[in-house]
Amino acid sequence: MPDFSYCKLEIFVPASHFSAVQTALAESDAGHIGAYDQCLSYSPVTSFWRPLAGTHPYLGAENTLCQAEEFKVEVTCRMLLLSFGQLKSFSERMFL
């Protein structure tokens, strides 16, 4: 199996939360590529999802197909960040 040192994350987020996600990713050192940091891209998308039983969705209702305009954020991060939990702390800041 190849030794991957980087991975790409795709995060779907309401436009109203984009700035907070961008800041949290930068604080986690995601998007650090060579001599550049805070590298990411985003684009508007139409997302669909259905929250299953027992969920507490930010948008939508349980067992109902939902649709919303969001941003798809793409960022490269070092696998080491995932290994040491830095991105876990990112997700805790954003979603708990």
Side-chain angles (χ1 to χ4, degrees):
M1 175 177 236
D3 180 27
F4 295 106
S5 53
Y6 287 89
C7 67
K8 180 175 90 171
L9 301 178
E10 294 182 358
I11 304 163
F12 295 87
V13 60
S16 60
H17 290 61
F18 173 72
S19 182
V21 168
Q22 184 179 23
T23 298
L25 287 167
E27 289 173 357
S28 298
D29 200 35
H32 193 142
I33 303 171
Y36 295 83
D37 69 358
Q38 300 188 38
C39 303
L40 63 78
S41 62
Y42 72 95
S43 54
V45 297
T46 301
S47 296
F48 293 86
W49 67 95
R50 185 172 66 128
L52 299 177
T55 59
H56 305 285
Y58 176 76
L59 293 174
E62 188 176 295
N63 293 314
T64 303
L65 185 61
C66 304
Q67 173 184 346
E69 300 302 313
E70 297 183 299
F71 283 161
K72 176 182 175 182
V73 180
E74 299 178 71
V75 63
T76 300
C77 76
R78 292 176 293 168
M79 293 296 287
L80 190 61
L81 294 180
L82 297 174
S83 300
F84 289 120
Q86 289 175 308
L87 288 177
K88 180 176 183 267
S89 72
F90 155 75
S91 65
E92 289 170 349
R93 287 195 308 274
M94 293 306 304
F95 304 110
L96 297 181

